[in-house]
């Protein structure tokens, strides 16, 4: 498999572009200064943050190629006119936190399934316009999916043709979203591609997730709630590599295909936390073992050779990426302290209150 060659998409709709990975994609794409224009459609949920795009808006040349629309991907009236004006849609928009999908699953179905449906229907309408000669070609649709759709992988690596066995409301909704996208390729001949990325980390990551939560808690000498025995394994991928891989698949991926985006950095959660504490010069005694996440996937690991055959390689090692990330959180306290205000305390109490009350020392 080598891809059908390179295609450029000069006008992009990036949904969820104010989030962690989407904003990195927007910043890096516009910074190439190759004329690409981007419209971001984002609902600005608790996870969306316009500050993530401040660099773009402060640069006159990039700002001229950028437009921000606040809105919901599940709203056809908002989506249709935006899709009508672009060559491709990259859908990053999602409810993305597994723990929140356990507390409140419904929002995940609305955005991660119905939202994808609305975007696909808008692309299908554009395909019909193209067939009538009202536009050059139908837009390409890229669905940003996740390694979690494979479920927990006890040994070996997941390949793109493996069965999907999602086990959380989040991953089940993401699997539904990408299967829907694929069904539009099969049934309607829409030009779709899917990426399945592994655990991503880096600057601008919401402090609800493991790495930024533990960095920011440790800076404040707060306890670090490690689930279960802390021996779960994740494969860590630096955010700029994830965003770059998505751009590569957009331009080079075969229609109808899915591509694993692996990090090549498998670590237990304990190993990650030890490395973080070492970089921050904070003691292991901050770590508390707490009640496990229900249905917690033990391990994710993917084979990345299909994407490699398209000519993609990651650029950032885990040690360098983690050092950059720790440095960024040290230097950008105002950014994350704003997110740990407002509703944060209520979320933190609900998610961690009882867990921390019943926690015990982690031992090394
Ligand atoms: P994030 O939670 O940081 O950002 C999600 C963005 O989507 C936010 O800006 C939010 O406001 C927006 N959004 C949510 N619902 C919306 C709606 N209905 N309409 C419009 N915008 C909406 O997520 P992230 O970590 O940047 O993840 C981006 C994508 O990558 C998601 O699809 C996620 O499933 C996938 N992914 C994430 C990781 C990871 O480790 N972070 C790994 C693999 C795949
Ligand atoms: O694998 C890709 C996925 O990675 C993405 O699809 C998701 O959007 C993204 O949130 C992430 O999911 P995880 O559940 O793996 O990430 P999280 O940061 O929530 O947790 C990473 C590991 O750390 C996991 O084993 C659970 C554990 N953990 C997490 C938190 C928040 C803890 O031990 N304590 C915590 O407080």
């Amino acid at each position: 498999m080598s891809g059908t060659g390179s295609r450029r998409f000069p006008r992009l709709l990036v949904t969820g572009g104010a989030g962690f990975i989407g904003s990195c994609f927007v910043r890096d794409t516009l910074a190439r200064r190759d004329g690409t224009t981007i419209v971001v459609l984002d609902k600005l949920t608790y996870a969306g943050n316009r500050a993530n795009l401040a660099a773009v808006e402060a640069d006159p040349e990039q700002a001229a190629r950028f437009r921000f629309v606040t809105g919901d991907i599940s709203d056809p009236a908002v989506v249709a006119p935006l899709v009508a004006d672009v060559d491709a849609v990259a859908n990053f928009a999602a409810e993305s936190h597994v723990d929140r999908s356990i507390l409140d699953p419904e929002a995940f179905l609305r955005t991660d399934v119905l939202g994808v449906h609305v975007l696909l229907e808008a692309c299908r309408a554009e395909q019909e316009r193209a067939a009538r000669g009202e536009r050059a070609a139908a837009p390409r649709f890229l669905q940003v999916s996740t390694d979690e759709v494979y479920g927990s992988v006890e040994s070996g690596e997941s390949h793109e043709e493996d069965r999907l066995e999602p086990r959380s409301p989040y991953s089940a909704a993401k699997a539904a979203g990408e299967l829907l996208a694929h069904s539009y390729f099969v049934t309607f001949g829409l030009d779709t591609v899917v990426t399945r990325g592994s655990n991503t980390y880096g600057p601008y990551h919401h402090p609800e997730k493991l790495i930024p939560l533990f960095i920011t808690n440790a800076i404040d000498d707060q306890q670090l709630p490690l689930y279960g025995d802390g021996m779960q394994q994740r494969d860590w991928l630096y955010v700029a590599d994830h965003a770059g891989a998505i751009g590569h698949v957009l331009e080079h991926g075969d229609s109808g295909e899915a591509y694993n985006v692996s990090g090549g950095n498998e670590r237990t959660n304990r190993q990650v936390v030890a490395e973080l504490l070492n970089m921050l010069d904070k003691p292991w005694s901050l770590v508390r073992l707490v009640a496990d996440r229900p249905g917690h996937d033990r391990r994710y690991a993917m084979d990345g050779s299909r994407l490699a055959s398209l000519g993609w390689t990651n650029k950032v090692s885990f040690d360098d990426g983690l050092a950059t990330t720790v440095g960024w959180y040290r230097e950008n306290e105002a950014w994350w302290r704003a997110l740990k205000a407002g509703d944060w305390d209520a979320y933190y109490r609900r998610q961690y209150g009882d867990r921390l009350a019943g926690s015990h020392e982690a031992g090394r």
Side-chain angles (χ1 to χ4, degrees):
M1 169 155 333
S2 56
T4 46
S6 182
R7 291 164 64 193
R8 274 213 62 224
F9 299 95
R11 301 171 306 160
L12 297 178
L13 175 63
V14 179
T15 52
F20 167 48
I21 308 170
S23 68
C24 180
F25 177 86
V26 172
R27 291 191 306 271
D28 291 357
T29 302
L30 290 175
R32 289 203 311 245
R33 301 188 194 280
D34 62 2
T36 302
T37 62
I38 293 183
V39 176
V40 165
L41 171 63
D42 198 295
K43 189 178 172 184
L44 294 178
T45 67
Y46 77 94
N49 190 347
R50 276 197 79 159
N52 298 358
L53 296 165
V56 163
E57 303 198 69
D59 177 314
E61 192 278 332
Q62 294 186 43
R65 291 181 287 116
F66 172 73
R67 182 156 79 94
F68 190 92
V69 177
T70 306
D72 191 328
I73 60 164
S74 322
D75 183 346
V78 172
V79 164
L82 299 178
V83 174
D85 272 346
V86 295
D87 307 302
V89 178
N91 180 33
F92 294 81
E95 291 292 336
S96 68
H97 191 31
V98 174
D99 290 327
R100 290 189 195 254
S101 83
I102 295 166
L103 295 173
D104 288 311
E106 201 173 309
F108 288 74
L109 298 183
R110 243 181 283 119
T111 292
D112 302 11
V113 186
L114 278 178
V116 178
H117 159 73
V118 169
L119 291 171
L120 286 166
E121 276 298 297
C123 290
R124 192 156 79 91
E126 290 310 300
Q127 186 185 38
E128 285 168 6
R129 282 186 61 220
R132 294 195 299 270
E134 292 169 19
R135 61 176 285 163
R140 166 160 268 209
F141 181 81
L142 184 146
Q143 171 65 9
V144 179
S145 191
T146 169
D147 61 358
E148 302 207 6
V149 297
Y150 294 115
S152 196
V153 183
E154 296 313 310
S155 60
E157 295 178 327
S158 303
H159 295 79
E160 284 86 349
E161 308 311 328
D162 286 356
R163 240 180 92 159
L164 304 189
E165 297 185 74
R167 291 156 31 92
S168 73
Y170 163 70
S171 55
K174 290 296 292 183
E178 69 155 87
L179 289 172
L180 208 50
H182 188 66
S183 80
Y184 274 61
F185 166 74
V186 174
T187 307
F188 304 115
L190 208 69
D191 178 14
T192 65
V193 277
V194 168
T195 56
R196 296 184 185 136
S198 67
N199 273 73
T200 305
Y201 71 101
Y204 299 98
H205 202 185
H206 193 282
E208 68 189 355
K209 308 282 170 48
L210 176 80
I211 287 182
L213 178 70
F214 280 27
I215 293 173
T216 56
N217 276 14
I219 287 173
D220 283 345
D221 297 309
Q222 302 274 319
Q223 295 180 320
L224 312 183
L226 191 60
Y227 296 159
D229 61 2
M231 293 303 287
Q232 304 83 8
Q233 292 181 49
R234 297 291 184 267
D235 171 22
W236 293 97
L237 171 66
Y238 190 64
V239 64
D241 279 333
H242 193 167
I246 287 168
H248 197 80
V249 170
L250 183 67
E251 292 186 353
H252 303 277
D254 283 327
S255 202
E257 289 292 356
Y259 294 89
N260 292 341
V261 186
S262 66
N265 300 297
E266 225 184 294
R267 300 279 191 288
T268 65
N269 292 340
R270 274 178 185 264
Q271 287 172 319
V272 171
V273 176
E275 214 165 317
L276 286 178
L277 288 172
N278 191 31
M279 286 179 181
L280 288 158
D281 198 20
K282 295 286 182 175
W284 181 261
S285 56
L286 289 177
V287 182
R288 302 292 299 176
L289 287 186
V290 301
D292 208 351
R293 171 185 283 174
H296 198 167
D297 287 338
R298 193 74 178 161
R299 173 173 178 264
Y300 304 126
M302 292 186 295
D303 173 83
S305 51
R306 182 180 285 182
L307 178 56
S309 77
L310 288 187
W312 175 258
T313 43
N314 292 332
K315 294 172 185 60
V316 181
S317 72
F318 188 60
D319 287 348
D320 288 351
L322 207 57
T324 302
T325 305
V326 167
W328 190 88
Y329 281 88
R330 275 186 159 136
E331 286 156 22
N332 291 277
E333 288 204 11
W335 182 90
W336 58 263
R337 287 200 189 282
L339 300 180
K340 281 187 154 187
D343 295 344
W344 174 263
D345 280 348
Y347 164 72
Y348 202 79
R349 267 197 308 278
R350 191 171 171 210
Q351 177 63 22
Y352 296 106
D354 289 346
R355 279 190 161 98
L356 282 169
S359 68
H360 51 279
E361 280 177 20
R364 289 210 70 174

